[in-house]
Amino acid sequence: MVTGDEGIGKSRLLSVFAERVKADGVMVLSGACIDVGDLWPYRPLREALERVAREGAGTADQAAVVQLLEILDADVQGNSSERLLARLHRGLSQLAAGRLLLVVLDDMQWADSSTRRLMLTLLSGLTTARLLILAAVRTEDQSSDPALRRLLRELQRSRSAEVLELAPLDRNDTLELAERLNEQPLSAQTAELIWQRSSGNPLFVEELLRGGGVAELPQSLRELVSSRVDALPAPAQEVVRALCVAVRPVPHDLLVRVMRRPESDVLPAARAAV
């Protein structure tokens, strides 16, 4: 399980890794979760199987993929979730059949309950199949979703799972990335602005350069940041708005005075904002 902030490079890492092992003959199933709750059970698995079916595969693999899609379609006809889960587990184990099978699950913060159960079942040690699950989840969603917190706890307790957190790039790597994307050297002033404004987030670096300048925040980043602020509780949004007009760190007692709220209200709001 790869965790990290939005834009930190989780999806790119998963994609590049999958392409490299696929070139070495590894069977790859790759799909992404979407923010629809339990409306679409097993959505990333279905997406992955449909992609393999479109691209074509060996005769035996194609037959196994079609069978798995038929198993998923049977769910619409009223099969119990326990029976469906068991059939999917057997089908994926058969697809692995003596070789490594890589299952890539992106945006696991939006995973439906069926996908989470399948993931835990595959990692339970009940199969001898050579199976590797590579999943990504946004760090900022971990504290707000109880189901996601339970999944991460279960994975951390499992001996077959490892959680890897992607940190932002340091200053040198940030500026190296910026110059590669810019395809020419940056002025010292521009380089420093990119470092200060991106804080080592690769997506921010890319969007700042694509926007044609770093002094004004590009619309794409403005919308991304605004959506994250909008998702905060109302008191935390007040903290963000109060702090954003400061040009230097604000002492705690000053923040409390500016907020005009009891300190007992400001503290949890500030924690949520951080």
Side-chain angles (χ1 to χ4, degrees), residues 12-24 26 28-30 102 104 134:
R12 183 73 57 89
L13 178 63
L14 267 59
S15 175
V16 170
F17 181 83
E19 287 301 318
R20 287 186 179 180
V21 298
K22 189 175 181 180
D24 292 334
V26 173
V28 177
L29 297 177
S30 181
L102 172 65
V104 178
L134 186 60

Side-chain angles (χ1 to χ4, degrees), residues 174-239:
T174 296
L175 298 185
E176 180 182 350
L177 173 64
E179 292 206 342
R180 288 192 182 189
L181 292 172
N182 198 51
E183 298 182 346
Q184 59 183 350
L186 299 166
S187 69
Q189 182 182 14
T190 299
E192 187 60 28
L193 278 172
I194 287 177
W195 165 241
Q196 290 179 1
R197 302 213 75 178
S198 70
S199 295
N201 185 299
L203 175 64
F204 288 10
V205 174
E206 191 171 358
E207 291 300 315
L208 285 167
L209 288 169
R210 184 180 296 169
V214 295
E216 183 67 24
L217 198 65
Q219 186 63 27
S220 57
L221 285 187
R222 188 181 300 279
E223 292 173 356
L224 187 152
V225 174
S226 295
S227 66
R228 290 181 64 175
V229 173
D230 291 343
L232 292 171
Q237 291 188 39
E238 290 183 37
V239 168

Side-chain angles (χ1 to χ4, degrees), residues 18 80 113 222 268:
S80 71
S113 59
R222 188 181 300 279

